[in-house]
Each structure stands twice: as structure tokens, then as C-alpha cells.
Amino acid sequence: MTHDLAAGVERVRDRIASAGGDPDRVRVLAVTKGFGPDAVEAALSVGLREVGENYARELLDKAEALEVEPDWHFIGRLQSNKVRQLAERVACWQSVDRASLVGEIAKRAPGARILVQVNATGEEQKGGASPMDVPDLVGRGREAGLDVAGLMAVGVFGDTAATERAFHEVVALADELSLPERSIGMTDDLELAVRAGSTMVRIGTGLF
Ligand SMILES: *Cc1c(COP(=O)(O)O)cnc(C)c1O
């Protein structure tokens, strides 16, 4: 597994470079949802320190099973009542999209690092705050003492033009709000994200 994964990381770094990004500056978040603790161990063994999970239960089970834990990033839909259990584990909360969640994280994990998730594509079923509401959420996070590091967004599956528009909007918004981290780009739209100014791509199927 480690051997294949090392090759996968190399491929991802090559794709980042081909899209005009610096592979030493665009970080790779290894997304291990659906895989066991061994995938996380493999990620750590090839130098990927940051690992993303979508589901609270899965993250907690893997964390329990591991001797050495990565820097966990929570990237899935987050219910407020899961924050308490996750608080000791999570290094970065990437899917913060409403004021109640800002409040709960500030209470359970004071000073924690968060990203505000933006829904820049207008799809109703998708997580994320509307771009209009993002400045308020960022302000609330800062006021609550959280380390608001940046924005996160997901593109539109199968729609290059809409994804490109969304990524550019997210980066412009991050610029406006002086937020350095832009977590955009997955396996299928990595190049679009890097060209728009991604600082972190979240890769699952491209690695595992
Ligand atoms: C699953 C997931 C990823 C990884 O997607 P791949 O297409 O497997 O690279 C990234 N971000 C989020 C929010 C996800 O849910």
C-alpha cells in the first residue's frame, strides 16, 4: 500500500506542478473516508501529515485504533452535537457554515483552527454558507477567539465552468477577508483549483 501511495502522491504533485502550482506550497490533504486506519498509517508513512474525514464516528474509530495520529481535518457535514466528541481530536474544522457551529466549536475547542465552508454554486443540497453570509461568519469566528484560517469549497461535479467560477469567487472572497488558506480542489478538479489559487487540495480517490 505504501508503495502505491507514494506513487499516487507523486502523481498528485506532478498534476499540481503542471497546473502551475508549487507542489511544496499547495498542500495535499489525504482524504481517508471509507478506508481503515491502515490508510491513515500509510499516509503518515509517506509524509502526508494532514488527513481529512467526513464522518465523526469514522474519525473517532480510526483515532482510537492509531498509535500515531495525523492532524485531523473534519471536512464533512457537521452536526453541532458531534463537536464535543471531536474536539480533542480535530486540528482543523473545515466545514463550518453557520453561526451555531462557530459558537459550539468556540465553546468546546477554544482557539481552534477553522475554515468557513462556502457554497458558491447555489446548489441547495450542498453544505456551505452562501457567499453573502461568509464575512459575518468569519467575523463571528474571530470574535469568538477562533483561528479563522481560510475558506473551503466543493466544486460542481461534472461542470467545469461552474466549478471554475465558484473557485475564483472563493479565492476573491478569501483575498477580501485576508484569509490565507483556500481549501479547494479534489481528485477530479485539482487543476481548476490550483489555477484559481488553491493552497490545499483534498484528495481521496487520487491516492487510495
Ligand atoms: C470525499 C471528499 C473529498 C475527496 O474527494 P476525491 O474525489 O475522492 O478526491 C474532498 N473533499 C470533500 C469535502 C469530500 O467529501
Side-chain angles (χ1 to χ4, degrees):
M1 179 154 201
T2 302
H3 178 75
D4 291 346
L5 185 56
V9 172
E10 227 15 70
R11 266 196 313 277
V12 169
R13 288 171 61 88
D14 285 347
R15 285 178 62 189
I16 291 169
S18 302
D22 177 349
D24 291 327
R25 299 192 63 168
V26 180
R27 307 201 312 288
V28 177
L29 179 74
V31 177
T32 47
K33 63 163 172 267
F35 294 95
D38 51 325
V40 181
E41 274 170 359
L44 288 170
S45 76
V46 299
L48 298 172
R49 274 231 51 85
E50 297 175 295
V51 170
E53 285 287 339
N54 289 62
Y55 304 101
R57 188 72 261 153
E58 238 191 284
L59 189 157
L60 294 170
D61 286 347
K62 281 173 218 181
E64 282 294 323
L66 288 165
E67 241 157 67
V68 181
E69 287 182 58
D71 294 337
W72 296 108
H73 287 233
F74 196 84
I75 62 172
R77 279 287 181 99
L78 182 55
Q79 292 168 279
S80 291
N81 64 8
K82 295 291 188 329
V83 170
R84 190 176 54 82
Q85 292 168 285
L86 289 168
E88 273 180 39
R89 307 285 194 190
V90 170
C92 180
W93 308 80
Q94 291 211 7
S95 46
V96 179
D97 63 358
R98 57 196 187 276
S100 57
L101 207 42
V102 170
E104 185 65 12
I105 294 171
K107 180 173 161 194
R108 306 291 183 184
R113 188 178 183 82
I114 68 164
L115 307 184
V116 170
Q117 183 178 353
V118 190
N119 178 347
T121 63
E123 296 159 284
E124 265 177 32
Q125 75 286 7
K126 189 179 261 178
S130 110
M132 218 171 53
D133 296 333
V134 170
D136 175 64
L137 279 179
V138 168
R140 281 172 188 263
R142 286 172 173 160
E143 266 168 37
L146 294 171
D147 173 15
V148 186
L151 303 180
M152 184 271 252
V154 178
V156 188
F157 183 73
D159 188 337
T160 302
T163 298
E164 206 160 30
R165 257 194 321 276
F167 286 169
H168 279 104
E169 182 174 359
V170 168
V171 169
L173 199 49
D175 283 343
E176 242 170 69
L177 297 165
S178 305
L179 296 168
E181 190 87 273
R182 298 96 201 266
S183 170
I184 49 174
M186 311 185 355
T187 299
D188 288 338
D189 55 21
L190 174 158
E191 282 82 2
L192 298 177
V194 169
R195 277 190 225 110
S198 175
T199 58
M200 184 192 297
V201 291
R202 307 178 308 268
I203 308 295
T205 48
L207 290 175
F208 300 105

